[in-house]
Amino acid sequence: MQTKLAGITISLILCLSTTLVSAQVKDTTDLMDMLDKETASHPVTNYTSATFKTTRLINAHSIENVAGGVMDVKISHRFGEINGGFYELFGLDNASIRIGVDYGITDWLMIGIGRSSYEKQYDGFMKVKLLRQSSGKKNMPLSISGFAGMYYNTLKWSEPDRDNYNTSRINYTFQLLMARKFSEGFSLQLSPTLVHKNLVPLTTDPNDLLSVGIGARQKITKRMSINVEYYYQVPGFKLENTVDPLSIGIDIETGGHVFQFIFTNSTGIAENQYITGTTGKWSKGDIHFGFNISRVFTMKKTKRKETK
Amino acid sequence: MKKTIFFLLMLTSIAISTEAQDIYFTRTGKIEFHSGSSLEDIDGVNNEATSMLNVKTGEMAFTLLVKSFTFKRALMEEHFNENYMESTKFPKASFKGKITSMPAINTSSNGSFNVQTEGELTIHGITKKITAPAKLTVNGGKITGVSNFKIVLSDYKIEIPGVVAEKFSKETEIIVTCIYEPRS
C-alpha cells in the first residue's frame, strides 16, 4: 500500500514536472522572444546622428560635418540693419554675402573655402570629428569636433603711408565644438573659441581673443527647427567697441536643400568677423535679417558603412 | 519505477534537444528595398538583420535595426532615419510569421522548395498582415531563404511630402536574402 501510494505520488510529480518542462519548451519556441534575446546579447553601438541640421548652427560651425565625398555649396546673405527705416527699406538695400564651398574628404574630416564681401575676406577652414555621441555597446555622452580657420582680408590699407605687412591681413580661429543631442528635438552646443588677429585696431587691444559660444536647436516639426547662437566674449580678451553676437534662426529643410532664415546683430559672416567683430546692438535695433542656402551634391557615391 | 522516471526524463530531454536542432539562425540577413522612381534611385541595404526559422513548424521571425540601412547618398540616409522612418522613435522593424504548408525539409539532402509565407510586418510602429512568396534552398546543411514582395508606404504611415512625391514609386519593393545555419 505504502509503495503504491509513493508510486502514485512520484508519477504525479513526474507528470507535473513534464508539463512544466514542456511549458518551458513552448515558451522558448516563440521565435520572436528567442530572437530578441539573441539580439539583446549582441548589443551594437548606436551613433547619434543629425544633432544639428547642417554644418552651421547659424553663423558659426556646429559639430556636424558633410559626409565623405559630399560637396556643399553655401550662400549666406545678410541684409542691412532693420533700423535703417523705410529709406533703406529696413535694410534690404544693403547686403553682406559669403559664398563658400565645403567638401567632405572623409566622414570625419571636412574642408571649406569661401569669400565674404564684408572686409573682402577670403577664408579656408578644416573641421575634424574627434568624438561621436553614442549609446549601446559604446557609450559616449558628447560629440566633439575641432575647428581651425584662416582668414585673409584684401581691403585697401587704411593708412597706406605706414609700413604695412601682408601678414597683418591674416586672422585665425580655433574652436573646440562640444555638443549633445539630449532628445530627438533638442540639442545643445558649447564652443570655446580662440581668435588670433595679427593686426588689431588699437594698441591696447589684445591679439588673442577668447570667447565661449553656446548654441541650441529645438525641432518644431520633422523638417523645421528654431536655433539660437550666442558668443560670450571674455572681458580683457576682446576688442574694444565690439559686442557679443546673438543670432536667432529657423532651419527649413526640403530634400537636398537647407534654408536658414536668421536675425543677427552681426554684419560679418565668417567666424572671425562674427565672433569678435560684431558692433551692432539688438537693443538699438541693429538687427540684420538674413538667410543661408545650402545645396548638397554627392560627388562620390560610396557605400558607407558604420563601424560596429 | 526508477527506470520509468529515468526513461521519462530522457524522453523530455530528447524532446528539448530536437526542438533546438530545428531552429536555423542568421545574424547577417540582407534586407534591401527599392523605393525610387525613374527620377531618382532610393535604395537601402541592411546586412545585419537577425532571423530564425523553425524547419519543422515553418515558423519564422525577423528583426533589424532601421539605423543599419545604408544608402549611396549620405543625406538620403539621414532623411530616411530622421524624416521618414523616425528611427529614434521606432528603432526596429520586424516580421513574425510562418510558412503555410511547410514542406518536409531534410536538411541533410540538398533541394529547393517554393513556399508561401504569411505573418505580421511591423515598420514605423505599424503592424500589418502580409503574405509573400518565398524560396527555400537547402545546400550543404545551410538553408537560403529568398523572398521578394511589395508594400505601400502609406500603409505604415510613412509620409512623403508633395515636393518629393514624384521621386518615390507607388510601391516599395523589398528583397530578403537570408542564409541560415543551424543554431548551436
Side-chain angles (χ1 to χ4, degrees), chain A residues 10-195:
Chain A
I10 289 170
S11 47
L12 242 161
I13 289 169
L14 207 92
C15 267
L16 239 133
S17 59
T18 337
T19 38
L20 264 173
V21 170
S22 60
Q24 271 178 345
V25 170
K26 192 129 207 163
D27 268 350
T28 48
T29 51
D30 189 86
L31 283 186
M32 212 39 157
D33 287 353
M34 284 168 75
L35 209 52
D36 283 344
K37 272 181 207 137
E38 199 68 50
T39 46
S41 63
H42 283 79
V44 290
T45 306
N46 187 6
Y47 290 105
T48 304
S49 60
T51 307
F52 299 102
K53 273 263 176 277
T54 174
T55 54
R56 308 300 200 282
L57 196 59
I58 292 180
N59 266 316
H61 278 262
S62 72
I63 53 130
E64 295 296 334
N65 276 26
V66 290
V70 172
M71 186 174 83
D72 186 1
V73 176
K74 276 189 183 294
I75 297 170
S76 310
H77 192 113
R78 306 290 176 266
F79 289 106
E81 290 160 349
I82 283 173
N83 63 6
F86 188 71
Y87 180 70
E88 299 277 354
L89 200 60
F90 305 98
L92 298 194
D93 286 354
N94 297 310
S96 151
I97 300 173
R98 179 182 179 272
I99 298 171
V101 180
D102 297 350
Y103 183 73
I105 294 172
T106 69
D107 281 354
W108 52 269
L109 175 65
M110 74 181 271
I111 53 168
I113 50 166
R115 205 273 188 180
S116 302
S117 63
Y118 184 67
E119 293 178 341
K120 303 193 183 299
Q121 179 179 267
Y122 294 83
D123 64 72
F125 72 86
M126 64 187 269
K127 182 159 66 171
V128 187
K129 282 192 177 187
L130 302 171
L131 288 177
R132 284 195 290 171
Q133 186 185 339
S134 65
S135 60
K137 197 175 173 186
K138 276 187 254 171
N139 252 305
M140 183 57 63
L142 289 176
S143 293
I144 298 182
S145 294
F147 171 89
M150 192 173 167
Y151 313 84
Y152 185 84
N153 87 60
T154 60
L155 286 176
K156 284 179 184 147
W157 295 112
S158 54
E159 291 168 66
D161 299 336
R162 74 173 187 189
D163 280 345
N164 284 307
Y165 303 102
N166 215 14
T167 49
S168 303
R169 298 180 176 279
I170 297 172
N171 286 188
Y172 305 89
T173 300
F174 302 98
Q175 290 189 294
L176 200 62
L177 312 169
M178 302 181 281
R180 178 168 168 82
K181 191 178 189 177
F182 283 91
S183 67
E184 192 47 31
F186 183 71
S187 306
L188 192 70
Q189 179 173 313
L190 271 180
S191 328
T193 303
L194 166 69
V195 176

Side-chain angles (χ1 to χ4, degrees), chain B residues 90-124:
Chain B
F90 309 110
K92 281 182 180 179
S94 63
F95 176 78
K96 187 188 173 184
K98 62 176 198 294
I99 294 168
T100 50
S101 63
M102 180 69 184
I105 290 180
N106 180 359
T107 49
S108 54
S109 65
N110 297 350
S112 66
F113 310 87
N114 285 313
V115 293
Q116 276 292 329
T117 64
E118 62 172 31
E120 291 172 337
L121 180 64
T122 306
I123 300 175
H124 195 234

Side-chain angles (χ1 to χ4, degrees), chain A residues 7 10-11 14 18 21 25 28-32 34-36 38-39 42 44 46-50 52-53 67 70 181 184 217 219 222-223 253 255-256 296 298 300-306 308, chain B residues 1 4-5 8 12 16 19 23 25 27 45 48 50-54 59-63 65 67-68 70-75 77-79 82-84 86 88 92 94-96 159 161 164 183:
Chain A
I10 289 170
S11 47
L14 207 92
T18 337
V21 170
V25 170
T28 48
T29 51
D30 189 86
L31 283 186
M32 212 39 157
M34 284 168 75
L35 209 52
D36 283 344
E38 199 68 50
T39 46
H42 283 79
V44 290
N46 187 6
Y47 290 105
T48 304
S49 60
F52 299 102
K53 273 263 176 277
V70 172
K181 191 178 189 177
E184 192 47 31
R217 79 106 187 241
K219 266 191 179 181
K222 268 190 270 185
R223 293 178 176 77
E253 182 215 311
V296 160
T298 307
K300 261 196 306 195
K301 285 186 193 173
T302 46
K303 215 166 235 176
R304 295 157 354 93
K305 190 82 208 83
E306 294 274 310
K308 277 189 188 177
Chain B
M1 195 66 218
T4 331
I5 296 170
L8 276 169
T12 42
I16 294 167
E19 284 284 349
I23 289 168
F25 176 66
R27 203 185 287 289
V45 188
E48 292 165 23
T50 50
S51 174
M52 283 185 189
L53 169 71
N54 186 324
E59 284 175 282
M60 50 185 189
F62 293 79
T63 180
L65 289 174
K67 265 205 160 176
S68 304
T70 54
F71 292 75
K72 280 183 194 143
R73 290 166 188 267
L75 202 64
E77 193 171 312
E78 186 180 318
H79 291 165
E82 286 278 297
N83 302 341
Y84 298 106
E86 301 177 83
T88 316
K92 281 182 180 179
S94 63
F95 176 78
K96 187 188 173 184
E159 292 161 28
V164 292
R183 189 164 179 257

